[in-house]
Amino acid sequence: PLDGYGGSPAEPGANGERSLCPAGAPTRSYNVHAITTDVPVTEEITDETGMIFVVKEYEELARSDPDFKYPLAIRANQGDCVDVLLVNELEQQSHGPRPNLMKTNIHIHFVQFDVLASDGVISGANYEQAVRPFTQEDLHAVVTDPLVAGQTRLTVDDPSIFHAGGAVAVGIDQMPDVVETAEIAAIDGNDLIFETPLLNDHAPGELVSAEFVRYRWYVARQNGAIYFHDHVDALNRWGKGLFGALIAEPEGSTYHDPSSGTEVLSGPYADIHTRGEVLPGLEGSFREAVIFMNDRNPLTGASFNLRAEPLHRDTERGAGPPEFALSSAMYGDPWSPVVKAYVGDPILFRLLTSATEEVHPFHITGHTFRQERFQEDSPELTTFGVGISERFNAYVAAAGGAAARAGDYLFYNGSQRHFVEGAWGILRVEDSLVDGLQPLPGRQPPPASPSDGPTTGAAPPSATDPGNPCPGGATVTDFEVTAIEMPLVFNQEAGVSINAGKLFVLDEDVGAVLAGDKRPDPLVIRANAGDCLLVDLTNETTQPVSFHLDALAVDPQGSLGVNVGYNPDQTVQPGESRQYAYWAPSELGTVLLRDFGNLYRNGREGLYGALIVEPAGSRYLDPRTGEEVRSGLEAVIVAPNQTAFREFVTVFEDTDPDIGLFVMPYDTDVNKLVGVNYRVEPLS
């Protein structure tokens, strides 16, 4: 008996009193192998020495099939006890800072575990929780004679690496229905004699090794994304892929392949079949996309799920017309993630940053998600910065956004540098049944519609209709906007300027801005909750431009302003005009306004601004004269049944890739342009 405990500790693997997991907790078991395999980061670039965790059942696929060469995402339900058997098959590397450090472990966040043996991290007086590769000749023995279940004596070729009292995994190289762990009572010649009979048959040629570790985790809450990772050589291995996630799902859930509907053991994309309330406003099944954001990929820099579709100038996309860099019609779908759903499907993006240097902003177009997913009145966001080793669960209530429109929507890393490195993907929303996408159970399936499918290899046709996302009776607010070119002087005394600047300006202000009678500012326009916005954009620059507003309801095939996927062309060529249509369903506050006609240049040259969605029925007054204003950084907002308030809009620009990074020695100088509202006041 243990003093203070009133009895002996629980048996290994037991639930109930004095155990990690309560009595009656369902057990979910995973045999996880750490392997070295080639990982195709782009369609042309492969990391030949990638490292990933895999479930044993998918190991051969993970070595041969690109669709399985992803970071490991496994799942368990709230209330489950998770039993993980980890073994190591990493291959010896002849390069890197510590080529002989081939041990591995798993350290997990946000679940309950015993730190002595299931933390992964070996700290203080805790037990060893890392393992060497069992494939090394001196770390395993080979079964020489067949064994029938129920026997205690197993013959191996070399028992010298074992000792009485030690625990081994018999059939460590086999599938989970074969491998089992057992304690050695004695060694007799070449025979291992176990304390208890073995439960499974074992065949000659199977391997026996002491190089395994068993972790137990209790999932007490529906936490969603829970990060885990190698903690032996983390800073070098995260870029190679040695990380993963346990997704804590609602009680009673099952996990299914979105394409076939069959149950899956792991994978970043799954349909979660469940009943009852998942979140406020979400009842029943939903689609799930686990997105690992990484900034240390040794071949591309940034990636999503170890995949990237670079937009650098030396790539086909980057060298082509800038307005079509994201177009599947021209280049085919990206190597990076394409998440599929039907109109109205709820989606949970499980976001994790497996990175070591930066906060990564996840940004999605045409949709919003809650800042706090369990709060129905939470503020709606289009972007969220996920920090190092952190997670965020972005709940998108309905694919297709508030307008419920089919088409392709862009999601991307909000850091321009990482976006160009290839960290972006597509949310493809369908409004008719398509091959390779099962309807969610309990939700009305869309109608079947015969289609020949999209074609690739040419620029998409031009959109002929902006679409109408607005409900009947909505107040219509019109804006006539022109994109112009002129020098933007951020600070004349400091010599900070953009000689070939670009900016959006209301048509009525173009003359005054070009003449120097009106200060050039980022365009800030306002609308009220419930308004329908019609924007007529004229392009007076020398580059194609577009008009993109985040968060608002929009038809992605006419007014998203992003030629992503198979959407029609929505850019405006020099000297031409186009109309865009939006609906502001609620008081959204600040909404990013930006260009996607040339994502490489136009943004950093000034083609950005903001829409402020104010309370319904608001009026906007000049703070100096009291007269109503159409645009501007400053305004007094007078809303019905509310106290009037002052408003000042700040739009930040930052093209310096290094300042603020968690890299020592820290960079103390800003080497490229930063500013707010086309202004900067250096303190040097």
Side-chain angles (χ1 to χ4, degrees):
L2 301 177
D3 291 342
Y5 285 86
S8 299
E11 290 294 322
N15 295 346
E17 188 178 2
R18 296 183 298 279
S19 174
L20 172 75
C21 301
T27 298
R28 194 174 297 271
S29 299
Y30 289 102
N31 281 30
V32 176
H33 287 228
I35 67 171
T36 301
T37 186
D38 58 301
V39 175
V41 183
T42 76
E43 198 164 7
E44 294 81 24
I45 301 173
T46 296
D47 184 352
E48 300 291 349
T49 56
M51 301 178 182
I52 56 176
F53 293 115
V54 299
V55 293
K56 176 60 181 177
E57 292 89 335
Y58 294 166
E59 180 179 350
E60 291 308 312
L61 289 168
R63 294 184 182 279
S64 60
D65 187 341
D67 287 342
F68 287 82
K69 294 176 183 288
Y70 287 115
L72 179 61
I74 55 178
R75 295 167 175 85
N77 297 339
Q78 179 177 347
D80 282 358
C81 197
V82 182
D83 190 327
V84 174
L85 182 73
L86 172 68
V87 299
N88 183 355
E89 295 186 67
L90 296 176
E91 298 172 10
Q92 184 69 46
Q93 304 296 315
S94 60
H95 59 280
R98 286 171 285 197
N100 296 315
L101 193 64
M102 295 311 296
K103 297 175 76 172
T104 191
N105 57 13
I106 289 178
H107 169 65
I108 193 167
H109 305 183
F110 295 114
V111 292
Q112 296 181 21
F113 53 75
D114 184 340
V115 295
L116 285 171
S118 288
D119 190 8
V121 184
I122 308 105
S123 55
N126 292 351
Y127 292 113
E128 164 73 291
Q129 299 169 44
V131 288
R132 297 171 292 178
F134 76 85
T135 49
Q136 291 181 204
E137 288 189 4
D138 59 340
L139 296 179
H140 70 256
V142 181
V143 176
T144 59
D145 297 339
L147 177 141
V148 177
Q151 296 181 349
T152 59
R153 185 178 289 265
L154 178 71
T155 305
V156 298
D157 66 339
D158 180 10
S160 64
I161 60 174
F162 307 121
H163 60 84
V168 295
V170 182
I172 193 171
D173 57 327
Q174 302 299 306
M175 288 293 182
D177 59 346
V178 174
V179 63
E180 58 184 308
T181 59
E183 187 174 342
I184 300 173
I187 299 176
D188 180 14
N190 278 45
D191 290 348
L192 305 179
I193 303 172
F194 298 112
E195 292 280 2
T196 57
L198 294 181
L199 302 176
N200 304 323
D201 294 344
H202 293 279
E206 291 182 18
L207 304 186
V208 182
S209 177
E211 292 299 327
F212 72 93
V213 64
R214 195 166 191 167
Y215 303 119
R216 295 192 85 219
W217 307 327
Y218 178 56
V219 183
R221 298 287 182 268
Q222 191 201 134
N223 286 325
I226 301 171
Y227 184 46
F228 64 72
H229 54 87
D230 169 86
H231 215 291
V232 172
D233 197 12
L235 298 187
N236 292 301
R237 289 179 177 174
W238 289 352
K240 308 289 286 183
L242 210 58
F243 51 81
L246 171 70
I247 312 300
E249 308 287 6
E251 291 184 57
S253 297
T254 56
Y255 329 130
H256 299 260
D257 184 290
S259 177
S260 67
T262 58
E263 288 199 45
V264 294
L265 289 171
S266 68
Y269 314 109
D271 292 343
I272 309 304
H273 294 185
T274 191
R275 296 180 179 180
E277 185 181 70
V278 177
L279 308 168
L282 172 56
E283 296 272 345
S285 301
F286 57 92
R287 302 198 189 273
E288 181 172 89
V290 183
I291 305 294
F292 295 93
M293 299 182 284
N294 194 290
D295 62 26
R296 283 289 296 268
N297 190 289
L299 301 176
T300 63
S303 63
F304 279 173
N305 292 351
L306 299 181
R307 297 290 190 274
E309 184 69 23
L311 305 172
H312 294 300
R313 293 296 188 186
D314 58 354
T315 66
E316 185 180 13
R317 288 179 182 268
E323 65 269 38
F324 299 127
L326 307 175
S327 175
S328 299
M330 179 167 282
Y331 301 108
D333 277 339
W335 195 251
S336 48
V338 177
V339 178
K340 299 178 181 180
Y342 289 117
V343 168
D345 285 348
I347 307 172
L348 271 162
F349 284 91
R350 310 290 197 181
L351 311 173
L352 300 108
T353 296
S354 51
T356 58
E357 293 185 359
E358 303 167 56
V359 173
H360 287 253
F362 174 83
H363 203 133
I364 191 168
T365 63
H367 298 77
T368 62
F369 51 83
R370 298 175 186 168
Q371 181 171 325
E372 298 288 346
R373 72 185 188 281
F374 287 105
Q375 298 295 328
E376 199 160 13
D377 59 352
S378 171
E380 293 290 320
L381 308 176
T382 60
T383 187
F384 190 88
V386 187
I388 300 166
S389 296
E390 293 182 349
R391 50 71 183 273
F392 183 79
N393 298 275
Y395 166 53
V396 173
R405 294 296 193 271
D408 285 342
Y409 297 87
L410 174 70
F411 61 87
Y412 62 101
N413 190 311
S415 163
Q416 174 76 1
R417 175 164 60 101
H418 293 327
F419 184 13
V420 173
E421 286 173 342
W424 62 278
I426 295 173
L427 171 58
R428 176 158 296 152
V429 182
E430 306 281 1
D431 57 5
S432 60
L433 284 174
V434 296
D435 291 336
L437 184 60
Q438 297 289 320
L440 286 173
R443 305 194 183 280
Q444 183 66 36
S449 177
S451 172
D452 294 332
T455 59
T456 60
S462 181
T464 58
D465 185 350
N468 181 15
C470 306
T475 300
V476 178
T477 303
D478 294 287
F479 294 98
E480 291 76 34
V481 177
T482 297
I484 65 173
E485 289 185 348
M486 64 176 294
L488 290 176
V489 180
F490 279 55
N491 187 305
Q492 187 166 358
E493 181 181 351
V496 181
S497 63
I498 302 174
N499 294 328
K502 300 184 179 74
L503 64 161
F504 293 117
V505 184
L506 290 184
D507 284 6
E508 60 211 59
D509 296 329
V510 169
V513 171
L514 289 174
D517 298 328
K518 184 177 176 65
R519 188 177 97 164
D521 291 321
L523 176 64
V524 175
I525 54 178
R526 293 172 175 84
N528 295 337
D531 282 3
C532 183
L533 285 72
L534 296 179
V535 177
D536 292 295
L537 177 65
T538 300
N539 183 7
E540 296 297 339
T541 77
T542 57
Q543 293 280 327
V545 302
S546 74
F547 199 88
H548 169 72
L549 285 172
D550 273 351
L552 273 67
V554 66
D555 184 338
Q557 302 191 62
S559 292
L560 188 63
V562 188
N563 297 333
V564 64
Y566 290 102
N567 291 347
D569 178 14
Q570 299 162 47
T571 49
V572 184
Q573 296 297 321
E576 297 182 358
S577 300
R578 177 184 295 276
Q579 187 176 79
Y580 301 86
Y582 310 91
W583 174 49
S586 60
E587 185 185 339
L588 293 166
T590 307
V591 176
L592 177 68
L593 188 171
R594 67 163 292 179
D595 162 85
F596 271 97
N598 188 328
L599 60 87
Y600 310 102
R601 292 183 50 183
N602 287 350
R604 63 181 61 233
E605 291 176 356
L607 212 56
Y608 52 78
L611 164 73
I612 314 300
V613 183
E614 309 286 6
S618 294
R619 298 165 56 227
Y620 332 127
L621 309 179
D622 187 305
R624 295 166 184 79
T625 67
E627 298 177 353
E628 293 203 13
V629 292
R630 290 270 290 162
S631 70
L633 299 173
E634 299 177 75
V636 172
I637 309 302
V638 182
N641 305 316
Q642 294 187 34
T643 302
F645 59 92
R646 300 185 186 276
E647 183 173 84
F648 187 82
V649 181
T650 53
V651 186
F652 291 86
E653 179 173 348
D654 178 3
T655 63
D656 194 301
D658 298 321
I659 195 73
L661 290 190
F662 293 82
V663 179
M664 291 186 286
Y666 297 129
D667 195 337
T668 57
D669 296 319
V670 177
N671 299 310
K672 292 192 176 181
L673 181 67
V674 297
V676 55
N677 295 344
Y678 300 155
R679 297 292 183 272
V680 66
E681 185 66 28
L683 302 179
S684 57

